[in-house]
Structure formats: C-alpha cells, structure tokens
Amino acid sequence: MVQTLLVANRGEIACRIFRTCAAWGIRTVAVHSDADENALHVRAADTAVRLPGATPAETYLRGDLVVKAALAAGADAVHPGYGFLSENAGFARAVLDAGLTWIGPPPEAIEAMASKTRAKELMGVAPLGEADVTEADLPVLVKAAAGGGGRGMRVVRRLDELPAALEGARAEAASAFGDGEVFVEPYLAHGRHVEVQILADTHGTVWALGTRDCSLQRRHQKVIEEAPAPGLSPGLEEELHGLAVRAARSVSYVGAGTVEFLVADGRAHFLEMNTRLQVEHPVTEEVFGIDLVAQQIRVAEGHALPVDPPPARGHAVEARLYAEDPARDWAPQTGTLHRLDVPPGVRLDTGYTDGDTIGVHYDPMLAKVIAHAPTRAEALRRLAGALERTRLHGPVTNRDLLVRSLRHEELAAARMDTGFYDRHLPALTAPAPDPHAPLAAALADAHGRSRFGGWRNVPSQPQVKRYETAGQEHEVHYRHTRQGLAADGVRVVHADAHTVVLEADGVRRTFEVARYGDEIHVGGTRLTALPRFPDPAAQLAPGSLVAPMPGTVVRVAEGLAEGAAVQAGQPLIWLEAMKMQHRITAPATGTLTALHAEPGQQVEPGTVLAVVRETPSQERP
C-alpha cells in the first residue's frame, strides 16, 4: 500500500491530490522551483524538496531530479498530476525503475496514446502531412503531439501562414512539454468538444464515466466544463462510451484517462486520449460521487473496481478562474492575490491563498470553482451566483467573463460550440462598472482624513478624486458638510474606511471597500486611484508598443530594423509568459522608428519594445 506520495507537479492539482492523501492517511511530498518556494502546495505537503531554477525546463520537466527528490524524501509512490511530465513514458519508466509505485497508466499505454499522432493512427484517423496541406484543406490546426492545455496550437487559415505556425507551435510545445513534435489536422470551428472519463483497473474492468462538454475555450484551452454533456442523443452517447472503452482496451490502459472528441453534425470525431487526470475531472467526481484521485491510488495498489460504476446524479459545472484580461487578448496578469474568498455551497480547488504572488513562469489559473445541483439550470445559476459574490482582490481576472458566460442564452440553451468566444467576446468583455463604485471608493478614502471630519463653517468646494476601471476614467465629486460626507444624486447613509452605504432613488446598497495602495476593490469592481493632475512626463510617444505583461522576448520578426515599413496588425515581437507565446503587432501602417527588443530580453509590463510612426492615409500608396 502507498504510504508516502510525491506529487510531481505544482499549484492547484498538487493541493487537490494532497487533500485526498490527507483523508486516506498518506504522507505527502511536494517538489518546488525557486519561484514556488512559498507556494501553497509546498505549505500543504508534509515534506518538500527544492528543484533549483525557475522555468519548467529547469525544474518540473526534469524527471531525473523529481525521481531523486522522491527517493531522498522517502516516498514510495509518484503521482504526476496533469501537464509537465504526466504523459511522459520515459518519466513513468524512471519512476518504476527506481522501485517506486507509478500512479498512472503503463509506460507502453502512454507511448501509444500520449503522442496524438500515434493515437490517431491507432484509432484509424490519419493526420495531415505538413507538405500535403492544400487550399482545400483549410482551415487546419497545428497541434502539439505531446501535451494539451492550448499550448503548441495554431489555427491556420492561409497557406502562407503555415510555416510560421509550425515554428511557433514547435517552440511553445518544447518549452511547455519538453517535446517539440507537432502535427496538422482539419479544423472544425463550430463543433462541440465532448469527452469521456475512463477508469480502468488491472483486472480487466473499464468504466466509462459519462460525458463532459468542454466547448467554451479560449486559445484552445478550456474555460467552462460540465457533466454530463447536454443534448446528446442516447445513440451518440453510447457511441462515445464505446469508442472510449475501445481506446482504453486497445492499449491495455490502467488508471484514469480521458478520450476526447469533436462532435459536429451529430457525428463523433476522435481527437486524442489524455493518459492522465484532466483539469476538469471534478465535474465527473461531483456527478458520480467518487474521488478519482483515490481511485487512481487504489488501482495502482492492485485493487479491483466493481463491475459497474456508481449511478450518475444531477449536473455539475466548473469554471476556471484565471489571472488574465480577456478584453486585452487574454493577457496573463501577475502580482499579489490579496484575497480569494468564495462563498459556501460550491467546491473550490485552488493553489493560492490570500497574500500569495501570481508569478510569470506558470499557467495563470487561480482556481476552479465547481457547482453541483439536481438540474443543469440550477447548477449554472449556482455557479454564476457564487462567482459574482466571490471576494477577489488582486490582478485583473476573467471572473466577470465567467459570470456573463454562465448566464448567456446560448449556454443556457446548450447551443454552445468551440467558436463561442469568437462570436461573443466583445459583448462579454464590454466594460460595465458599477456606477456607484468610484463614489464609494472616494467616500471610504475620505473617511477620517480630518479629525473634524473635514467640515468648515464656510461653503466648501467639492472634493475631486479620479479612478480608472476597465480602461475608463471616472471623476468623482463629493463634499464635507455639517451632516458628514455628501454627494449629488445619492444619500450617503454611512461611510467608513471599509463600508459605504448609499441610497439612490429609494434603493439602498451596501458596498464593501478594500484598498491596497492605489488598487481599490469595491464589491466586484476593481479600480485604480489616479493622481488628480497626471504627470506629463509619464506620457508615451504615439505608436509605442509596450509589453502587456512581464515575460521574455523570444523572437523578433525576421529582418525587422529601425526604418522598416510595417503593416497594421503585422506581428513584430513575440513574448513568452506563463508558458504561452504572445504576439506584439504593429498598431498601424507606418514606419518602425525605434526597436528596443531583442531575443532573450526580460521585460516588465509597460516596457517600450518598439515605436511605429503611422503613415497618414493620404500618403499611403
């Protein structure tokens, strides 16, 4: 039996596995990079071992260091989590060769299915050859063979874009998974992403644990998932289960895995088999009332599964909470997470707690929030309400996007597909700040600034404060009076440094205010305090291209130099941050007048990378 388990991973999934281990009396070992020295998963483990370095290639992708850590800490088993080395057959063999228990499928099954190209061949689906792609095949998807999570993926709609897409996908895949192999397949823009959770033991039993719909995706990475997948016919669901079990049996699979499909025109198209636990496994756990991590451990210990899985009950929906700005091309965000407080009634899986730092080296997912209810409509409502009431103080997140998505009519009617955000992102990210939030922030800030409350026995001029929220500036006016603080159009019922109560048109509302330097959170609205008189020196030259996030310059467009002519939207510079590459494009057609970026350069947000002087339209050829 497993006594001490090392998790070869970090963040949310490591914490989630440790939770099961604690319930089962299993001692735990964490590994951590230097950047993760004080991370929650390190604090949650009984023992921790340092992996020197910060990047994945130096740390979590070093299987030899992870095995040494397991032996040094006295672990007798290793769980890979998801991502990193979870689908690396060589790592699985190294764990077994060291005399440790591997909480996962046999290395041979990983080899057969972890490479998506070989998996397709096994299932009778041939990927396209790079040299064979024609105009008739477009659009196509370039995809990493060794991993998932949207990394190493590029949609190609023109043939001349294919070489750059292949190059970028290979680089991103090598950085994230240690394997730069990619392949090309047809791209179906409006299908549904449906998958089947499987669980198999060493005695020949294979469970197909229902279905999941993971169609709401950004950059081919899932955002909202649910179980069961709604609206499937009984025949199609039976076909999906049969194909998933066939895939598992074809490689003598053991443990938990997922078989993924694209469903279009009522047909199932095999995508891949993930030989590991999935990020979205909690929705299956909630519906079937089981602990998949516990089952993984029991299977690895040789226990047999019952012949039939438990019955499904109700519906579950999961939302991935990211530190990112959907309105700015999903740019990842960094900084201090001051507060993460999710109301009761939903499940929270997270690798962060109050005061933790969101760094630049890893995926920006803060947490997964999961709601289970008797019906789908109730689960959607419960999750949207919980996210809306979550106290989330820190960098910009996708929380508002999640709430709007969960309440969208297409999702409610189960008419969503993988093109959902392509169609609806502008509406879902349109600024909609609470109109009273800036006033509440100003009143809370004004409270107690004067020992006499700021009132004078002469008429006073209004006080003025400026805030920025969702890219918009707001100027607030209020006054100190004999009765206290006052503002036009509302009645100030109460105001202190943390709570403001306002009454407008007979409706009273209470605002909770928290301030961290110039960052203020009023309920669910995030504001930045602005100086009353902006510093003219802080203005950037027109056409400046600035780094939207901290990261590393990995590439500059070939031949790019000062004086070069550029076209609006032309990619000029590539940044790598949080295991993804981000393109910096020309804001207008014109001339590059300055270039400050070079490969390998570390940059901070706001760093000027280049300057483009726009060519007036009348001067363009």
Side-chain angles (χ1 to χ4, degrees):
M1 295 184 68
V2 173
Q3 301 295 334
T4 303
L5 177 70
L6 178 142
V7 176
N9 219 293
R10 65 174 300 279
E12 170 270 323
I13 186 57
C15 292
R16 186 263 169 272
I17 295 168
F18 291 158
R19 190 167 66 240
T20 289
C21 289
W24 282 66
I26 298 172
R27 294 185 294 272
T28 55
V29 181
V31 289
H32 68 87
S33 67
D34 292 338
D36 274 342
E37 182 178 10
N38 298 311
L40 180 60
H41 79 277
V42 177
R43 308 198 300 268
D46 297 314
T47 307
V49 180
R50 174 183 176 237
L51 304 177
T55 67
E58 297 172 306
T59 55
Y60 299 108
L61 288 172
R62 284 287 302 275
D64 57 333
L65 297 183
V66 174
V67 171
K68 287 180 181 178
L71 296 173
D76 55 7
V78 173
H79 193 304
Y82 53 71
F84 294 132
L85 295 168
S86 62
E87 295 180 282
N88 187 305
F91 177 59
R93 284 198 179 93
V95 169
L96 294 169
D97 290 346
L100 304 170
T101 298
W102 169 248
I103 312 297
E108 296 76 19
I110 297 176
E111 282 180 330
M113 285 294 187
S115 171
K116 297 174 177 58
T117 52
R118 289 188 285 276
K120 285 179 176 292
E121 292 167 0
L122 192 65
M123 296 295 287
V125 181
L128 295 169
E130 296 175 14
D132 300 327
V133 178
T134 67
E135 290 282 354
D137 297 314
L138 298 176
V140 296
L141 181 67
V142 178
K143 198 170 184 179
R151 298 173 192 90
M153 283 189 178
R154 300 287 189 278
V155 176
V156 177
R157 291 184 166 83
R158 298 198 334 242
L159 276 182
D160 59 358
E161 297 174 347
L162 184 59
L166 290 166
E167 180 183 354
R170 288 190 181 108
E172 199 168 82
S175 174
F177 312 117
D179 185 341
E181 181 187 355
V182 299
F183 65 96
V184 182
E185 66 181 10
Y187 177 61
L188 300 176
H190 301 295
R192 285 177 58 187
H193 189 121
V194 177
E195 58 192 32
V196 177
Q197 174 73 58
I198 60 165
L199 186 65
D201 62 18
T202 57
H203 304 274
T205 298
V206 180
W207 285 356
L209 290 167
T211 57
R212 295 190 290 250
D213 190 296
C214 310
S215 297
L216 267 65
Q217 303 176 5
R218 58 97 166 107
R219 290 182 169 175
H220 313 290
Q221 191 169 37
K222 300 159 189 172
V223 177
I224 293 175
E225 306 103 348
E226 60 180 302
L232 300 181
S233 68
L236 181 55
E237 189 165 331
E238 184 178 349
E239 179 187 0
L240 291 168
H241 288 176
L243 288 170
V245 171
R246 171 188 149 197
R249 292 196 184 280
S250 70
V251 294
S252 302
Y253 197 82
V254 173
T258 298
V259 184
E260 301 194 350
F261 303 90
L262 195 66
V263 173
D265 300 323
R267 298 173 54 206
H269 304 265
F270 173 79
L271 289 176
E272 63 193 55
M273 181 177 182
N274 289 309
T275 54
R276 55 173 168 80
L277 201 63
Q278 290 277 92
V279 180
E280 58 272 20
H281 75 273
V283 291
T284 297
E285 291 183 321
E286 295 297 314
V287 167
F288 284 90
I290 61 174
D291 183 331
L292 283 170
V293 172
Q295 293 297 332
Q296 284 183 295
I297 295 171
R298 283 180 53 79
V299 164
E301 292 176 334
H303 295 283
L305 295 170
V307 175
D308 297 313
R313 54 181 183 84
H315 202 94
V317 186
E318 172 182 292
R320 302 189 193 185
L321 191 59
Y322 286 97
E324 66 182 11
D325 189 346
R328 294 174 53 226
D329 196 27
W330 311 96
Q333 307 292 297
T334 60
T336 301
L337 181 65
H338 300 291
R339 192 172 186 187
L340 175 60
D341 181 16
V342 178
V346 293
R347 170 176 166 177
L348 175 68
D349 286 12
T350 183
Y352 290 92
T353 191
D354 295 0
D356 284 351
T357 299
I358 305 163
V360 302
H361 298 289
Y362 312 112
D363 188 277
M365 187 173 74
L366 301 178
K368 302 180 308 195
V369 186
I370 306 100
H372 180 256
T375 68
R376 181 174 185 267
E378 291 171 298
L380 290 170
R381 182 177 65 187
R382 179 173 294 178
L383 183 55
L387 287 167
E388 190 172 49
R389 295 193 303 276
T390 293
R391 294 181 177 91
L392 186 57
H393 301 166
V396 174
T397 73
N398 68 336
R399 187 259 300 275
D400 291 347
L401 173 90
L402 295 175
V403 174
R404 294 181 183 184
S405 299
L406 290 164
R407 291 172 173 165
H408 196 278
E409 60 180 8
E410 274 191 24
L411 191 62
R415 290 188 285 105
M416 64 285 179
D417 57 45
T418 55
F420 179 84
Y421 287 121
D422 293 334
R423 295 191 299 275
H424 301 301
L425 188 62
L428 292 171
T429 57
D434 189 313
H436 291 133
L439 176 59
L443 296 176
D445 186 51
H447 175 76
R449 281 188 175 269
S450 166
R451 58 182 296 191
F452 299 109
W455 177 77
R456 297 179 180 180
N457 193 25
V458 292
S460 64
Q461 295 297 314
Q463 303 295 306
V464 179
K465 290 189 180 297
R466 298 171 58 247
Y467 299 95
E468 183 272 332
T469 178
Q472 298 180 347
E473 290 190 14
H474 299 265
E475 189 170 272
V476 177
H477 300 257
Y478 64 93
R479 298 182 304 280
H480 292 279
T481 71
R482 186 188 298 270
Q483 290 76 32
L485 293 167
D488 294 337
V490 299
R491 185 168 77 91
V492 181
V493 179
H494 171 82
D496 62 35
H498 304 291
T499 305
V500 173
V501 182
L502 302 176
E503 185 177 290
D505 298 325
V507 178
R508 180 176 296 190
R509 294 180 60 197
T510 299
F511 298 86
E512 180 183 279
V513 182
R515 180 160 189 160
Y516 311 91
D518 289 336
E519 177 187 317
I520 305 105
H521 293 265
V522 181
T525 302
R526 182 184 190 275
L527 305 104
T528 301
L530 300 175
R532 185 175 179 185
F533 302 105
D535 181 3
Q539 301 299 315
L540 295 174
S544 294
L545 281 69
V546 300
M549 68 207 75
T552 303
V553 177
V554 294
R555 182 180 164 202
V556 174
E558 186 176 354
L560 190 66
E562 293 182 6
V566 298
Q567 298 295 314
Q570 176 185 341
L572 304 180
I573 299 163
W574 285 257
L575 287 183
E576 182 170 279
M578 298 181 177
K579 299 195 293 184
M580 299 283 282
Q581 288 192 6
H582 307 268
R583 299 189 309 172
I584 309 298
T585 61
T589 296
T591 303
L592 187 75
T593 58
L595 178 62
H596 306 297
E598 59 182 31
Q601 178 184 355
Q602 300 285 325
V603 298
E604 294 298 320
T607 300
V608 177
L609 304 174
V611 179
V612 174
R613 186 183 66 218
E614 183 175 5
T615 302
S617 57
Q618 63 269 23
E619 297 180 14
R620 296 176 194 170

